[in-house]
């Protein structure tokens, strides 16, 4: 019951992402400051693990706050995609 959510832009997502992740690109959703109330692919029956570019990027925090306010259970992947790569975990393109 887990969905991995990449909030980086679509072009960057296409270059490489965590295997099985879906892309909910920040540029499509006004950096998560807009009026959207639904996000395709997210689940309410399990956790949505969210990540962005790197440790100092706040996009995943903004997305997590937005998603949680709409009833989506969320957790943040600390360190973002850069930390994932540094640990040499698998990458999907």
């Amino acid at each position: 019951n887990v969905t991995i959510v990449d909030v980086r832009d679509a072009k960057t997502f296409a270059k490489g992402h965590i295997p099985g992740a879906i892309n909910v690109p920040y540029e499509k959703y006004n950096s998560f400051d807009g009026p959207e109330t639904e996000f395709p692919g997210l689940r309410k029956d399990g956790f949505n693990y969210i990540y962005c570019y790197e440790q100092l990027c706040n996009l995943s925090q903004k997305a997590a706050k937005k998603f949680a306010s709409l009833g989506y259970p969320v957790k943040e992947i600390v360190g973002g995609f850069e930390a994932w790569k540094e640990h040499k975990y698998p990458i999907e393109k």
Side-chain angles (χ1 to χ4, degrees):
N1 292 342
V2 170
T3 300
I4 300 173
V5 184
D6 185 321
V7 296
R8 301 175 303 152
D9 67 80
K11 285 183 182 180
T12 303
F13 177 83
K15 291 178 184 177
H17 53 270
I18 294 175
I22 64 167
N23 189 217
V24 180
Y26 72 92
E27 76 272 15
K28 183 176 178 180
Y29 296 101
N30 300 310
S31 296
F32 307 107
D33 287 328
E36 296 85 359
T37 58
E38 292 190 25
F39 294 89
L42 269 64
R43 61 187 324 135
K44 291 190 176 180
D45 64 342
F47 281 99
N48 298 282
Y49 284 82
I50 304 166
Y51 71 93
C52 59
Y53 294 94
E54 62 183 17
Q55 178 72 34
L56 298 177
C57 176
N58 71 347
L59 284 172
S60 60
Q61 292 171 351
K62 287 177 73 174
K65 183 177 177 182
K66 175 76 170 188
F67 300 158
S69 75
L70 298 169
Y72 295 101
V74 296
K75 298 221 179 241
E76 185 179 6
I77 298 176
V78 177
F81 189 66
E82 285 303 312
W84 185 268
K85 288 191 326 187
E86 286 173 12
H87 283 91
K88 300 188 185 323
Y89 294 143
I91 296 173
E92 184 175 88
K93 294 184 179 181

